[in-house]
Amino acid sequence: MSENPQRGRLSSRLLSQGQEPDPRFTLANERTFLAWIRTALAFLAGGVAVEAFAADVFEDPYRTIISVLTIGVGLLISVGAALRWLNIERSMRQGRPLPMPLIIPLLSFACGVAMAVVIVLVVLT
Protein backbone atom coordinates (compact mmCIF):
# COMPACT_ATOMS: atom_id res chain seq x y z
CA MET A 1 0.00 0.00 0.00
CA SER A 2 1.31 3.46 -0.78
CA GLU A 3 1.88 5.82 2.07
CA ASN A 4 -1.00 8.21 2.73
CA PRO A 5 0.35 11.77 2.38
CA GLN A 6 -2.29 13.10 4.78
CA ARG A 7 -0.86 11.14 7.69
CA GLY A 8 1.82 12.56 9.92
CA ARG A 9 5.23 10.96 10.20
CA LEU A 10 4.45 9.25 13.51
CA SER A 11 1.18 7.79 12.21
CA SER A 12 2.85 6.64 9.01
CA ARG A 13 5.62 5.01 11.00
CA LEU A 14 3.41 3.23 13.55
CA LEU A 15 0.55 2.32 11.20
CA SER A 16 2.29 1.92 7.86
CA GLN A 17 1.04 -1.53 6.87
CA GLY A 18 -2.36 -2.69 5.73
CA GLN A 19 -5.46 -0.77 4.79
CA GLU A 20 -7.42 1.88 6.63
CA PRO A 21 -10.12 0.15 8.71
CA ASP A 22 -13.68 1.33 8.91
CA PRO A 23 -13.58 4.57 10.95
CA ARG A 24 -16.24 3.19 13.31
CA PHE A 25 -13.85 0.43 14.43
CA THR A 26 -10.99 2.86 14.86
CA LEU A 27 -13.20 5.16 16.93
CA ALA A 28 -14.44 2.22 19.04
CA ASN A 29 -10.80 1.26 19.66
CA GLU A 30 -10.12 4.84 20.73
CA ARG A 31 -13.09 4.84 23.12
CA THR A 32 -11.83 1.63 24.70
CA PHE A 33 -8.40 3.22 25.08
CA LEU A 34 -9.94 6.24 26.79
CA ALA A 35 -11.88 3.97 29.17
CA TRP A 36 -8.60 2.32 30.19
CA ILE A 37 -7.05 5.75 30.67
CA ARG A 38 -9.94 6.71 32.96
CA THR A 39 -9.26 3.55 34.95
CA ALA A 40 -5.57 4.47 35.18
CA LEU A 41 -6.49 7.97 36.38
CA ALA A 42 -8.77 6.44 39.02
CA PHE A 43 -5.83 4.38 40.32
CA LEU A 44 -3.65 7.48 40.34
CA ALA A 45 -6.29 9.41 42.28
CA GLY A 46 -6.75 6.47 44.65
CA GLY A 47 -3.02 6.34 45.38
CA VAL A 48 -2.92 10.06 46.07
CA ALA A 49 -6.04 9.81 48.26
CA VAL A 50 -4.57 6.97 50.34
CA GLU A 51 -1.40 8.97 50.95
CA ALA A 52 -3.27 12.17 51.75
CA PHE A 53 -6.26 10.96 53.76
CA ALA A 54 -5.48 7.55 55.28
CA ALA A 55 -3.02 8.68 57.95
CA ASP A 56 -5.35 7.57 60.75
CA VAL A 57 -5.91 4.14 59.13
CA PHE A 58 -2.37 3.09 58.13
CA GLU A 59 1.01 3.84 59.62
CA ASP A 60 3.37 5.92 57.48
CA PRO A 61 5.50 3.26 55.77
CA TYR A 62 2.48 1.04 55.02
CA ARG A 63 0.45 3.94 53.68
CA THR A 64 3.29 4.92 51.36
CA ILE A 65 3.65 1.34 50.10
CA ILE A 66 -0.08 1.13 49.34
CA SER A 67 0.01 4.51 47.60
CA VAL A 68 3.02 3.65 45.45
CA LEU A 69 1.56 0.27 44.50
CA THR A 70 -1.76 1.85 43.56
CA ILE A 71 -0.11 4.56 41.48
CA GLY A 72 2.17 1.92 39.90
CA VAL A 73 -0.86 -0.09 38.81
CA GLY A 74 -2.27 3.06 37.22
CA LEU A 75 0.99 3.54 35.35
CA LEU A 76 0.96 -0.04 34.09
CA ILE A 77 -2.65 0.31 32.97
CA SER A 78 -1.92 3.49 31.02
CA VAL A 79 1.08 1.93 29.25
CA GLY A 80 -0.88 -1.26 28.61
CA ALA A 81 -3.78 0.75 27.19
CA ALA A 82 -1.51 2.50 24.71
CA LEU A 83 0.10 -0.77 23.61
CA ARG A 84 -3.29 -2.44 23.34
CA TRP A 85 -4.67 0.39 21.21
CA LEU A 86 -1.69 0.15 18.85
CA ASN A 87 -1.85 -3.66 18.59
CA ILE A 88 -5.58 -3.62 17.86
CA GLU A 89 -5.20 -0.86 15.29
CA ARG A 90 -2.46 -2.82 13.52
CA SER A 91 -4.53 -6.03 13.64
CA MET A 92 -7.53 -4.30 12.11
CA ARG A 93 -5.39 -2.80 9.33
CA GLN A 94 -3.80 -6.14 8.49
CA GLY A 95 -6.98 -8.22 8.76
CA ARG A 96 -5.60 -10.36 11.59
CA PRO A 97 -7.53 -11.61 14.64
CA LEU A 98 -7.54 -9.20 17.54
CA PRO A 99 -4.88 -9.86 20.19
CA MET A 100 -5.76 -11.23 23.60
CA PRO A 101 -6.27 -8.42 26.13
CA LEU A 102 -3.29 -8.95 28.47
CA ILE A 103 -4.19 -5.78 30.35
CA ILE A 104 -7.28 -7.47 31.85
CA PRO A 105 -5.42 -10.26 33.69
CA LEU A 106 -2.84 -7.68 34.77
CA LEU A 107 -5.53 -5.46 36.26
CA SER A 108 -7.27 -8.40 37.95
CA PHE A 109 -4.02 -9.67 39.46
CA ALA A 110 -2.97 -6.19 40.62
CA CYS A 111 -6.35 -5.56 42.24
CA GLY A 112 -6.18 -8.92 44.00
CA VAL A 113 -2.68 -8.21 45.33
CA ALA A 114 -3.71 -4.72 46.43
CA MET A 115 -6.75 -6.06 48.27
CA ALA A 116 -4.66 -8.74 49.97
CA VAL A 117 -2.09 -6.18 51.09
CA VAL A 118 -4.77 -3.88 52.48
CA ILE A 119 -6.50 -6.75 54.30
CA VAL A 120 -3.21 -7.87 55.86
CA LEU A 121 -2.35 -4.33 56.91
CA VAL A 122 -5.80 -3.73 58.41
CA VAL A 123 -5.58 -6.98 60.39
CA LEU A 124 -2.03 -6.22 61.57
CA THR A 125 -2.69 -2.64 62.66
Side-chain angles (χ1 to χ4, degrees):
M1 178 179 152
S2 64
E3 188 173 322
N4 187 345
Q6 297 173 342
R7 285 204 170 274
R9 286 192 340 200
L10 181 62
S11 296
S12 296
R13 188 172 190 184
L14 293 176
L15 305 171
S16 62
Q17 298 176 340
Q19 299 176 351
E20 289 283 330
D22 186 328
R24 293 174 292 180
F25 300 133
T26 297
L27 293 172
N29 189 25
E30 184 177 320
R31 284 190 301 273
T32 303
F33 166 77
L34 293 173
W36 282 113
I37 292 299
R38 284 191 302 271
T39 303
L41 287 172
F43 271 87
L44 172 65
V48 171
V50 166
E51 184 62 32
F53 302 116
D56 56 340
V57 179
F58 301 115
E59 297 295 321
D60 189 35
Y62 300 124
R63 188 177 68 246
T64 302
I65 290 169
I66 293 170
S67 297
V68 169
L69 287 175
T70 305
I71 292 169
V73 169
L75 175 66
L76 289 174
I77 291 170
S78 65
V79 170
L83 293 175
R84 178 158 171 75
W85 173 86
L86 184 60
N87 287 335
I88 288 176
E89 194 68 24
R90 285 178 177 166
S91 293
M92 288 191 301
R93 290 171 179 275
Q94 296 171 5
R96 293 181 307 178
L98 297 180
M100 183 180 150
L102 295 177
I103 194 170
I104 293 172
L106 169 72
L107 179 60
S108 298
F109 177 74
C111 285
V113 168
M115 286 187 285
V117 167
V118 169
I119 289 170
V120 167
L121 291 176
V122 167
V123 169
L124 291 177
T125 56

